[in-house]
Amino acid sequence: MKLEIEIPYDQKVFVPGEVISGRCVWQLDKIPDSLQLSLLWLAKGRDRNDTELVATEYLKASASGEQTFSFELPSQPLSFRGNLLRLGWMLELVSDGGKFCRYEFELSATGEPLILKKADVAGRKKPWFRMKSR
Amino acid sequence: MNFRVRNNQKSQPPLIVLLLFGAVFAGMGCLFCYLIVSSELKDAEIKKWPQAQAEVSQSQVKVRAKQDKPFELVVKYQYDWDGESYEGDNVSRSGQKDKDYTKLWLMSREFPAGAKVLAYVNPEDPAEAYLQSDGMGGTLLFVLLPLIFVVIGVGIMWAGISARANAKREAAGELPVSTQQKSKFMNKHGWLFGVLFGSVFFFIGLGVFYGVGLKGWQQGVAAKSWQETPCRVIWSKVRTHSGDDSTTYSVDVFYRYQWDGQSYRSNRYDFSSSSSSGYDAKRALADRYKKGSEHTCLVNPAEPWISVIDPDGGHWFGFIFGGIFALVGGGVMIASVAAKAKSRRQNKADGGSKAGNPYLAKSSSAAVSASGLVEQQLSKGRWGKVIGACFLALFWNGIVSVFLKILYDSWVADNLEIFLAVFLIPFVCVGIGFIFAAVLTIIELGHPKLLVSYLAEDLALGEKVTIAWKIPAGSAGRLKRMQIHLRGEERESYEGGRDNGTAVATEIFAWLPLLDTQREIEMINGKATIELPLDLMHSWHGEEHSVIWSIEVSGEIGFFPNMHDECEVEVLAPRIEK
């Protein structure tokens, strides 16, 4: 069994608005009911995640084959690694029975991974009473 | 970046809490189902027993004033079985003690002394016999209510276990992210649990509203046309009902009256059979009906054994408590259905193309002009703080006051509940703290109000933005120092908090100074230009987590609490150069 997403030069960082294109290759034991390629982002905290499907392309359901694809990347959300959260982008090729493969990459305005550091807030006066908001 | 999906469930409490909660629900439901079904089966069995002719030798209602159920129906009868003579005293399986005198008196009339009746005799133990079988036939319908509890309990446990199993598979990277949302059972069917949960409250509330409130009110209206008759009080007392978490009281007046030359007794003070907190009022009522004193009761001329002293009392309890229960239950049901409908509409809307930026805040207090100039009042959150603090103070102290009233009543009744008094001390202290906080938030309403303005399109990463501010003249005088900052922070939801297992953590990643001054003229009116670096994150709002940007102002004010206001702003992602 084989499920693969191939991106030219194994590019891992893309800028907003850039087109990500490549090729899906698969070889399965039987003809799947569906075969789909999704573009999505995933934001991860310590025990909860946020995710959103940005685009999905249904591939021709056959036991084996290959197909090219291309998606125009949106302007946001940008990938980042913070002190509490991490947000990253991925392509995911999913077949029946939970079989899948992923290609993870970063969406960055500078072409470099975005790492958020703790700010120096020395001298900041915290409010004595704050309403919780989410 | 190497991602492993760990858990995409929304706001899930810890598994042990779900299992315990579900087990208690299901366990209680099973217990009640068992009791109802076993009782029904036993009654069905009695109905199959052969019957024997019995002769009633004694039939009377015995009065034991000091017992919780002060009345007992005593019926003795003789019957023959297989040539042997037996004496029985069972009427039915449900027992013969009750708080209602009239109910037992009516039963005693069905079996008068000397009457020949049929008794159900246990063929395996002929000494066991009953005159009645309690089987109502429709009792099995009552199983539906505890069954709802069973379904909810099992559902909660199943959902918890299945969520944990999914979370483990996700943690191991065994599940694809793109199909997770579609397979979440609770996301799809969680609303059904809300409807079931709400229906329990709704139907119980409806039952109390009808059975105690409406029926009591109808009986009261009918009783007003009954015949006024003198009655003499046999006893009058306040009965205490100790529950798990509180003590309630009820008035118990037992009286005698004459009708058509015959003597009757009754202990119906009003048409309510409930008890409530508040000892004083009940004590005062009981004192009005002293033993041996003469009063007036209303007697039903068609059925003179039915009488009442106060036809208007009691049923308000049913209206208020039943109504609140039904409203809360109905509200939960409607909210669950509405949430499901909203989610459907949202899914439909999401199916289309997304216009604009879907990751920005859903609401904003900003006023945006046609030229793109944004004006925001930083003090808008003050009323929210006042309302929040006042609500908290009222809610907390409202609940505590109920227990304080119980404590006060016990003190008045010379039965001070010491444990309750000690237990309440920290709760009262916290309540005083909440009142103090509410007062401070009200004082804050008088602090200077800052207005900021900027061009929305300039507030973007990689751009220069000018932020202007002003304070109404005259109000800045009390400020000794004022600071304005642009703040960026990550905000994460995670399990382990005190409220429903959800907590929020924040971490500031950007703290950009705009102003730090002690000069009044600079506080009243000014502006600052700042370039937002590209190596920061723009505003982003997910379901669980977010990146929030805010303008924060703090001001030092002598004796009063310091000024601290903030407003959320939307920092845009860098512009795409095509």
Side-chain angles (χ1 to χ4, degrees):
Chain A
M1 194 206 79
K2 178 177 158 189
L3 270 176
E4 278 178 13
I5 299 169
E6 294 172 357
I7 303 290
Y9 309 110
D10 204 19
Q11 189 179 340
K12 288 291 185 186
V13 182
F14 292 81
V15 295
E18 192 176 348
V19 172
I20 182 170
S21 54
R23 193 171 66 131
C24 291
V25 183
W26 67 93
Q27 200 164 16
L28 302 166
D29 303 333
K30 56 173 188 168
I31 298 172
D33 287 339
S34 72
L35 194 61
Q36 67 183 65
L37 177 69
S38 300
L39 171 69
L40 62 138
W41 56 258
L42 173 71
K44 180 172 161 292
R46 72 192 78 175
D47 55 20
R48 293 182 184 181
N49 300 325
D50 272 326
T51 184
E52 183 164 312
L53 280 177
V54 174
T56 300
E57 192 174 319
Y58 290 90
L59 310 184
K60 189 186 169 194
S62 57
S64 65
E66 60 177 66
Q67 193 172 324
T68 57
F69 65 86
S70 69
F71 295 110
E72 185 180 338
L73 294 169
S75 62
Q76 59 185 308
L78 298 177
S79 302
F80 72 93
R81 290 180 217 180
N83 296 290
L84 301 173
L85 308 168
R86 287 195 297 166
L87 189 150
W89 283 79
M90 64 179 77
L91 288 163
E92 199 169 68
L93 178 61
V94 183
S95 171
D96 295 347
K99 297 183 198 81
F100 69 100
C101 72
R102 281 187 198 139
Y103 186 87
E104 291 165 3
F105 62 93
E106 306 215 20
L107 185 67
S108 166
T110 59
E112 297 291 324
L114 175 55
I115 297 168
L116 301 178
K117 293 175 186 154
K118 277 187 187 180
D120 179 12
V121 291
R124 180 186 178 227
K125 288 179 175 56
K126 286 187 178 175
W128 65 274
F129 178 85
R130 186 174 181 179
M131 296 295 294
K132 266 190 178 179
S133 60
R134 290 189 56 194
Chain B
M1 193 185 300
N2 184 24
F3 265 101
R4 287 228 154 166
V5 186
R6 284 168 61 187
N7 185 0
N8 198 35
Q9 286 287 73
K10 283 201 283 181
S11 306
Q12 284 278 359
L15 179 63
I16 185 72
V17 174
L18 286 175
L19 289 180
L20 276 175
F21 193 71
V24 168
F25 250 72
M28 292 295 285
C30 283
L31 181 68
F32 281 105
C33 282
Y34 169 77
L35 289 175
I36 291 172
V37 171
S38 63
S39 171
E40 182 71 16
L41 289 176
K42 180 77 178 169
D43 283 329
E45 191 190 326
I46 289 173
K47 268 189 178 169
K48 286 180 188 167
W49 288 355
Q51 289 180 297
Q53 184 90 24
E55 185 173 346
V56 179
S57 58
Q58 186 187 350
S59 177
Q60 65 176 114
V61 179
K62 280 197 171 173
V63 179
R64 295 182 176 88
K66 287 186 178 173
Q67 293 193 1
D68 187 41
K69 289 182 176 177
F71 308 110
E72 184 181 12
L73 174 63
V74 178
V75 177
K76 290 191 174 168
Y77 50 92
Q78 278 79 37
Y79 59 96
D80 293 332
W81 187 261
D82 277 348
E84 280 194 49
S85 202
Y86 294 91
E87 184 182 67
D89 55 5
N90 294 322
V91 177
S92 67
R93 277 188 59 251
S94 59
Q96 286 140 237
K97 287 185 179 176
D98 208 288
K99 290 177 181 173
D100 184 352
Y101 174 84
T102 310
K103 179 182 162 190
L104 295 182
W105 182 83
L106 282 171
M107 280 178 77
S108 77
R109 292 219 317 173
E110 287 180 40
F111 310 106
K116 298 226 185 299
V117 294
L118 288 172
Y120 294 97
V121 181
N122 184 353
E124 291 172 7
D125 178 15
E128 186 184 12
Y130 294 97
L131 295 180
Q132 288 180 336
S133 165
D134 288 328
M136 297 195 307
T139 314
L140 277 176
L141 281 176
F142 288 100
V143 171
L144 287 177
L145 194 64
L147 261 184
I148 293 176
F149 279 81
V150 176
V151 170
I152 290 175
V154 171
I156 289 170
M157 288 193 288
W158 186 85
I161 291 167
S162 118
R164 177 53 60 97
N166 271 349
K168 274 189 178 169
R169 291 189 67 195
E170 285 165 20
E174 292 170 4
L175 290 179
V177 182
S178 54
T179 54
Q180 275 172 27
Q181 287 170 318
K182 297 172 189 170
S183 61
K184 297 295 178 197
F185 178 84
M186 282 306 283
N187 283 355
K188 276 182 178 176
H189 305 295
W191 68 284
L192 270 177
F193 286 96
V195 171
L196 277 173
F197 192 76
S199 68
V200 174
F201 279 82
F202 181 73
F203 287 115
I204 289 175
L206 216 58
V208 173
F209 188 86
Y210 173 76
V212 180
L214 202 60
K215 225 171 163 186
W217 176 74
Q218 283 174 334
Q219 286 173 320
V221 168
K224 281 180 183 168
S225 62
W226 292 356
Q227 190 75 44
E228 282 194 5
T229 307
C231 62
R232 183 182 292 271
V233 176
I234 301 169
W235 75 55
S236 168
K237 56 182 79 171
V238 177
R239 286 200 180 272
T240 304
H241 310 273
S242 297
D244 291 339
D245 48 4
S246 68
T247 304
T248 56
Y249 310 95
S250 63
V251 182
D252 181 18
V253 182
F254 189 40
Y255 54 96
R256 174 186 290 119
Y257 58 96
Q258 298 276 330
W259 183 269
D260 264 356
Q262 196 176 334
S263 180
Y264 294 94
R265 290 188 289 181
S266 171
N267 71 324
R268 180 169 291 141
Y269 174 75
D270 58 29
F271 287 112
S272 156
S273 56
S274 57
S275 60
S276 58
S277 63
Y279 178 86
D280 286 355
K282 275 95 178 177
R283 182 72 263 166
L285 260 180
D287 288 346
R288 268 180 59 198
Y289 295 90
K290 282 197 167 64
K291 182 180 175 182
S293 61
E294 294 250 351
H295 296 271
T296 304
C297 65
L298 294 166
V299 179
N300 184 349
E303 296 169 311
W305 49 89
I306 298 176
S307 63
V308 68
I309 291 178
D310 179 10
D312 293 322
H315 52 266
W316 295 112
F317 168 85
F319 281 134
I320 294 168
F321 281 83
I324 289 173
F325 256 70
L327 280 176
V328 169
V332 170
M333 290 163 77
I334 291 169
S336 304
V337 174
K340 176 66 182 170
K342 190 181 173 188
S343 150
R344 262 192 195 157
R345 281 199 302 273
Q346 189 73 44
N347 288 344
K348 270 189 182 175
D350 287 351
S353 62
K354 281 182 186 274
N357 181 356
Y359 310 116
L360 295 183
K362 283 157 184 84
S363 64
S364 170
S365 59
V368 186
S369 71
S371 62
L373 185 73
V374 180
E375 285 197 331
Q376 280 179 277
Q377 182 87 258
L378 268 74
S379 58
K380 275 194 173 169
R382 289 181 194 170
W383 274 107
K385 282 162 79 173
V386 170
I387 293 167
C390 288
F391 176 78
L392 202 59
L394 284 172
F395 185 76
W396 182 275
N397 289 299
I399 291 173
V400 170
S401 68
V402 172
F403 295 97
L404 285 176
K405 179 73 169 61
I406 293 169
L407 189 66
Y408 173 75
D409 287 341
S410 72
W411 178 59
V412 169
D414 282 339
N415 184 25
L416 182 65
E417 299 196 29
I418 301 288
F419 176 76
L420 181 64
V422 173
F423 182 75
L424 280 179
I425 290 171
F427 292 92
V428 171
C429 291
V430 172
I432 292 168
F434 283 150
I435 292 171
F436 185 65
V439 171
L440 289 184
T441 59
I442 292 169
I443 291 172
E444 274 194 336
L445 286 175
H447 286 349
K449 292 170 182 156
L450 192 81
L451 182 78
V452 294
S453 58
Y454 55 88
L455 277 173
E457 63 175 11
D458 287 349
L459 197 59
L461 298 179
E463 303 292 328
K464 275 187 178 173
V465 61
T466 298
I467 297 174
W469 63 86
K470 60 182 174 186
I471 291 177
S475 64
R478 72 189 82 158
L479 287 173
K480 290 181 176 172
R481 182 184 176 191
M482 190 169 91
Q483 291 174 298
I484 304 176
H485 286 86
L486 189 57
R487 186 188 74 215
E489 64 184 2
E490 300 169 60
R491 199 169 283 186
E492 179 207 13
S493 299
Y494 64 96
E495 288 174 15
R498 282 167 294 180
D499 48 346
N500 288 330
T502 300
V504 177
T506 58
E507 190 67 65
I508 296 174
F509 64 83
W511 182 245
L512 311 175
L514 297 173
L515 173 75
D516 185 356
T517 185
Q518 296 179 340
R519 298 179 60 202
E520 189 180 340
I521 188 77
E522 289 176 356
M523 296 177 196
I524 292 171
N525 210 333
K527 61 183 176 184
T529 302
I530 190 171
E531 184 172 351
L532 293 173
L534 273 173
D535 61 352
L536 294 176
M537 179 61 185
H538 57 83
S539 295
W540 165 76
H541 296 258
E543 289 280 323
E544 297 286 352
H545 313 303
S546 51
V547 171
I548 309 268
W549 281 87
S550 307
I551 293 176
E552 180 179 312
V553 59
S554 59
E556 290 177 18
I557 301 174
F559 178 72
F560 291 107
N562 286 336
M563 167 179 139
H564 188 104
D565 287 317
E566 60 185 63
C567 66
E568 191 178 333
V569 294
E570 298 299 342
V571 170
L572 306 174
R575 288 180 190 143
I576 300 173
E577 304 294 341
K578 290 277 182 186

